Amino acid sequence: MKTSLSLNNVTKRFGDVEAVKNISISLHEGEFVALLGASGCGKSTSLRLLAGLEKPSEGQIFLGDKDVTGKSPAERNIALMFQSYALYPHLTVFQNIAIPLRMRQLSAIQRLPGYGLLSSSIRQKHNEISDRVKQMAEMLRLSTLLDRKPGQLSGGQQQRVALARALVRKPSAFLLDEPLSNLDTQLRSETRDEIRSIHKRTNYPFLLVTHDQSDAFSMADNVAVMIDGEIAQFASPKDIFCKPATISVARFIGQHRMNILPAGAAVSLHPAGGQLSLGVRPEELIISTAGTLEATIESLIFHGEETIVNLVGPKQQKLRVVVHSSNELPNTGENVKLSADLNALHAFDADGYRKELTS
Amino acid sequence: MIRRAITDLVLVGPAALAIVIFIFLPAIVVILLAFTDYQFGSSTANWIGVDNFTSLFGSKIGRKALTNTLIYAGIVIPASVGLGLLVAIGLHHLTTSLPKASNILRAIYFLPVSATLVAMAVSWQMLLHPSLGLINNWLSILGIAPQQWLSNRDLVLYTLAVIGIWQSVGYNMVLFLAGLAAIPKTLYDAAEVDGVTGGWSRFWVVTWPMLGPITMFVIIVTAANAFRVFESVAAMTKGGPAFASDTIVYAIYREGFVYFKAGYASAITVIFFIALLLLTALQIALVERKVHYR
Amino acid sequence: MKLLKTACKLILSFGIALSAASALAATEIRVHYAIPTIWAETQEKLADAFMAKNPDMKIKIDGPAESYADGVQRLLREAVAGTAPDVAYVGLNRWRILEDRGLTKPLDSFLPKDKLAAGYTPALLSLGSYKDVQHALGTSASNMVLYVNPDLVEKAGGSMDNFPKDFDGIIELAAKIDALGDNIEGIWIGRHDWRFQSLLGSHGGRPLNEDESDITFDSNAGMTAASLYKRFAQEGGMSSMTQNDARQAFPSGTLGMFFESSSLLKRFEEGAAGKFQVTVLGTPVVAKDNVYFPTGGSAILMLTDDETKQKVAWEYISFVTGPEGQKIIVENTGYAPANKIVLDDAKYLGAYYDKNPNAKVAHAQVAAHAGPWYAYPGAEGVAVTDLIAAALVELTEGADVEKTVSDLAETLRLQLKMK
């Protein structure tokens, strides 16, 4: 696959603060990558660096094999959809979608109203732009809304206008900044499907920036997990979930925070726990009489299809178990024994890096 | 139910009564007076129909006051709105690069707004004094002939206009600064991504339309003040020389309180009131339709 | 219309009615005056001296108005609201506004039989009479005099000993002073009704005929007087600066000669102190007879209807227009007196004139040529003075004298409904 957009060893400093620390990331043609991280981790800065809205303090940015480090967003021809959509409130839906084309294809004088009357070649261009806008509107079900102002649209409609404006020209890459965060649950899953299908249809390289792992996992081919300005892991969603590369990725990923038993205490789950820390997801820690880890139940929280059990281990470490059936729940204060499958154990060395366990 | 109504009346009554007595009643008296030859202080008045109105538009002095006011407003409105915007944009950018200097400049530009014009008029008179004033002294250093700023009939209105601009730029600047600060940064980012390059296109695509509502407000306020110009005229020129700087509101004062022609002054007041009312209505209609983007 | 007036009254009196219910001590009268910057101290002294002499009478001074114009406005307002004072000092050119509205009380029945013996000469009485009824008495007087900066005169090659006696000579000298430098002015005179009336009187002309039924300043005398404005500007290099500009320029030493009211003498002497010696000369007298100079200053008049108050009011009026009151006014304001006794009898002001020779020149001119400051009759009376001023501006800008003055006279006749 051809690399279409990449950051090479890029660092970005704001004053004394390093927002992005020496990261490298590549986006290939037809690939859908998600940049996943908690707020403040540097993912938005990375996106702005890719778009050209910020200039890196160090490192280079490549578009194909061209160095575009100093180039403006327009020169990079990158499309960007903003979290707030950033539609022009004074322009109609049609004019909003047409802006990127008008700016690229017409000079300042040619953009003046009425100029098209003077020259047939300009009229030709105007018609082309109009056709392309209508085509985009058709694709995003906006055809009936073209004369409205953004203030008259619902959130979902505004988002489709933002999508149309981003895609109306043929961009070299499409960056999406938290596209789903302003939508309700119902609209969210519809929009996920919509974005996926647009990606399939257009085959542009997509980069999704999000703090929501289910958005990232459900849409992207590959996910880059960003923690404290660095890329902690870049892999397929499945690998990230099943084989977290570091202890911090392991903690960050998953619906429930992973139980981590420090080296020493972990020996009761696996012999390697003497030297390595062991992590087990709460869903995979099992209460069973055959268990080897003793713990006391502190509280039970009932959530419907699952119940969260909070426990305290032998060395006062907090543990959590998620139980999916509701028929055989233990009681608070009870001492129980816990066990986990070998496959469910994640081992990390003293520096926090993953070690594969052997039986 | 009745008790409730009485309570409501007691709450609304005094204010309503005050408005009727102090605003509506005098306004009606003014409208009635406009059709009489009432002299301030005299005990009788005659109904003279629209004579006051015909002599306002028919007399040279009346027309002069009208045209002077229009010329004054025609200069002050665009200049002080334009300059206010220009200064605001400059200071807005300066806030990021030189925050201290920006704050000091803001205070300097705002100073004329907070100073009372009557007091400032004394300073202006000294600055503009034909032989002793600093301005003519500086001009003569530059080799330019001294000017009679406030007593040359061809110049006096423009001098007053410049003072009017000087006085209102700071206020407009503050309003525009607030407007600029309220423009979302992402709109500029979006524009950049969309290929809006260079300050000029950025201004036309984002800044100017986003300032639409505030610009309309600034124009309304500036226009209202420009059409009501009075203090600078009263304090510096008294409408002279030879009515060259006479304006509508000064004419109202002159006719009513210097000449004691209360009837005639009332007629001017009525015309002025109607004109301002029309202007405001027009502006409100424009604001609703064009600038609020819904 | 009656209804309208009542409504007016109602509104105006709404706020003041309560406060106006003053204590009606039988012997107290309320006095109004204007321009506290000139009069405040003098008014206190007059009231104190009067009350010391008449212990059973009391003077209560109202808060002063800023100017004579404001003062008349306030008196009219108070008259409408029924809260007018009992006695008022009014500008000499403004008492006719009150007379026109029937507010003044004639003083003839109060005046002594032998008016001359009391110091009220016919010229002085003329300042406050209209159609043979005495409505007011002058309390302080001023004329237009010529202020000179001797330093500039000498620099321009003139001399104070050989100072020109006529307007031609003055214009010639003005041109020489004007040539001294860019910011040096030769001569200046206000383009203003009163100044024009002064020049007119010097040429023996009058602005109005005897019964005030016609404009008469388009006479030969009027044309010559008006042409002076054009000549001052064209031959003497007079600039178009404003009255205020000129009043700053003269004491600063950048204006050579200045035709201005004698009431400004004190201010100019103080302003020029340490720079040059202000010298006052009389306005040149051109005509052989009929010469007069319109007199500015203030008049006092009676407003009260109450008979007991009228008696007290007259006592006060005769005190301030008599020699004792006049001495206080002259010494404190620098105005010329409006009573002959105080001028003739050196025991009143002899010492003052020894110290103030400039004041003596000015006051002598008042004594010799005092005349009324003509107010144009009727509703447009004040309005037309601005038309006169506007015409004078045109003259200084080079307009034809004959045409401008004739047109002006015609305009005034129409506006004052004389035709």
Side-chain angles (χ1 to χ4, degrees), chain B residues 14-77:
Chain B
L17 196 71
I19 287 175
V20 167
I21 290 178
F22 293 112
I23 300 195
F24 288 133
L25 220 58
I28 291 167
V29 170
V30 164
I31 291 169
L32 288 176
L33 280 178
F35 296 94
T36 70
D37 65 352
Y38 182 66
Q39 287 265 316
F40 195 52
S42 86
S43 50
T44 56
N46 300 307
W47 192 264
I48 55 167
V50 294
D51 279 12
N52 283 329
F53 296 95
T54 48
S55 60
L56 169 61
F57 292 106
S59 78
K60 227 164 75 185
I61 297 172
R63 279 203 306 265
K64 182 96 183 147
L66 291 175
T67 50
N68 277 351
T69 308
L70 289 177
I71 292 171
Y72 179 88
I75 297 168
V76 170
I77 298 169

Side-chain angles (χ1 to χ4, degrees), chain C residues 97-347:
Chain C
I97 297 168
L98 300 172
E99 181 270 331
D100 187 52
R101 289 157 177 77
L103 299 174
T104 55
K105 301 290 165 283
L107 300 174
D108 302 271
S109 58
F110 298 99
L111 279 163
K113 285 254 153 49
D114 190 353
K115 296 170 191 158
L116 204 57
Y120 302 121
T121 65
L124 290 168
L125 285 171
S126 77
L127 300 178
S129 72
Y130 175 59
K131 292 199 170 155
D132 292 331
V133 179
Q134 198 71 35
H135 292 277
L137 287 172
T139 52
S140 61
S142 61
N143 268 179
M144 187 176 84
V145 293
L146 179 59
Y147 292 93
V148 182
N149 179 335
D151 296 1
L152 288 180
V153 171
E154 245 135 78
K155 255 191 224 156
S159 94
M160 290 313 288
D161 300 329
N162 195 18
F163 198 85
K165 294 274 179 284
D166 56 7
F167 284 110
D168 293 341
I170 287 174
I171 291 169
E172 210 174 297
L173 177 58
K176 283 186 197 152
I177 298 175
D178 198 53
L180 286 176
D182 247 2
N183 63 341
I184 303 290
E185 303 283 342
I187 192 162
W188 202 83
I189 183 169
R191 294 157 295 186
H192 178 268
D193 168 48
W194 186 69
R195 277 94 188 158
F196 174 59
Q197 281 190 33
S198 299
L199 295 180
L200 185 63
S202 153
H203 289 80
R206 292 286 182 280
L208 291 162
N209 65 359
E210 201 66 37
D211 63 356
E212 302 193 349
S213 65
D214 195 18
I215 299 291
T216 55
F217 63 64
D218 48 354
S219 60
N220 281 337
M223 293 294 175
T224 320
S227 73
L228 284 175
Y229 274 94
K230 189 171 177 177
R231 291 182 61 202
F232 284 151
Q234 294 194 333
E235 299 168 35
M238 180 170 96
S239 85
S240 70
M241 65 181 153
T242 64
Q243 191 84 35
N244 271 340
D245 290 342
R247 285 178 182 180
Q248 284 172 25
F250 181 74
S252 307
T254 61
L255 173 56
M257 293 179 283
F258 188 13
F259 282 107
E260 189 40 301
S261 163
S262 60
S263 64
L264 288 151
L265 174 59
K266 218 171 152 184
R267 180 169 145 192
F268 287 164
E269 282 184 335
E270 280 167 10
K275 289 181 214 134
F276 66 96
Q277 190 70 45
V278 174
T279 304
V280 169
L281 300 172
T283 301
V285 171
V286 177
K288 288 214 171 54
D289 36 40
N290 253 341
V291 171
Y292 86 106
F293 290 116
T295 304
S298 66
I300 191 164
L301 42 79
M302 191 190 284
L303 296 169
T304 181
D305 289 315
D306 184 302
E307 265 184 47
T308 41
K309 286 199 176 198
Q310 283 188 347
K311 279 194 193 112
V312 180
W314 171 252
E315 283 305 318
Y316 177 71
I317 290 172
S318 69
F319 174 78
V320 298
T321 57
E324 288 166 77
Q326 286 295 299
K327 182 176 184 300
I328 296 174
I329 290 176
V330 172
E331 285 180 349
N332 286 287
T333 64
Y335 270 103
N339 187 299
K340 188 118 193 326
I341 298 172
V342 80
L343 275 175
D344 292 347
D345 193 336
K347 84 172 180 201

Side-chain angles (χ1 to χ4, degrees), chain A residues 160-237:
Chain A
R160 294 210 300 276
V161 177
L163 273 171
R165 183 180 63 176
L167 294 169
V168 70
R169 63 199 145 98
K170 303 191 162 80
S172 55
F174 185 21
L175 315 181
L176 301 98
D177 189 4
E178 303 270 9
L180 306 172
S181 64
N182 290 341
L183 303 176
D184 57 40
T185 331
Q186 170 70 25
L187 213 49
R188 234 179 141 100
S189 67
E190 281 174 23
T191 312
R192 270 185 205 167
D193 295 345
E194 179 130 40
I195 291 175
R196 284 277 336 161
S197 81
I198 290 171
H199 178 244
K200 286 242 171 59
R201 230 179 310 165
T202 59
N203 221 29
Y204 301 138
F206 271 42
L207 181 87
L208 169 78
V209 165
T210 181
H211 67 279
D212 185 310
Q213 43 184 308
S214 60
D215 285 351
F217 290 170
S218 63
M219 288 193 273
D221 305 325
N222 286 306
V223 174
V225 180
M226 210 166 171
I227 292 169
D228 282 341
E230 288 171 298
I231 293 184
Q233 187 171 10
F234 183 58
S236 71

Side-chain angles (χ1 to χ4, degrees), chain B residues 22 32-33 39-43 45 61 125 129-132 148 151 153 242-243 254 257-261, chain C residues 1 4-5 73 76-77 97 101 183 239-241 244-245 248 252 379-380 382-383 386-387 390 394 397:
Chain B
F22 293 112
L32 288 176
L33 280 178
Q39 287 265 316
F40 195 52
S42 86
S43 50
I61 297 172
Q125 264 178 333
H129 192 285
S131 53
L132 308 167
Q148 310 273 342
S151 51
R153 280 203 282 176
F243 303 101
R254 184 166 48 71
F257 295 104
V258 181
Y259 302 169
F260 301 116
K261 289 158 69 182
Chain C
M1 228 55 262
L4 200 69
K5 198 196 145 202
Q73 272 177 47
L76 289 176
R77 262 200 308 274
I97 297 168
R101 289 157 177 77
N183 63 341
S239 85
S240 70
M241 65 181 153
N244 271 340
D245 290 342
Q248 284 172 25
S252 307
E380 300 286 332
V382 190
D386 278 349
L387 295 180
E394 277 166 24
E397 287 176 5

Side-chain angles (χ1 to χ4, degrees), chain A residues 257-273:
Chain A
R257 199 180 166 91
M258 187 184 274
N259 295 302
I260 303 284
L261 287 162
V267 83
S268 47
L269 275 178
H270 190 273

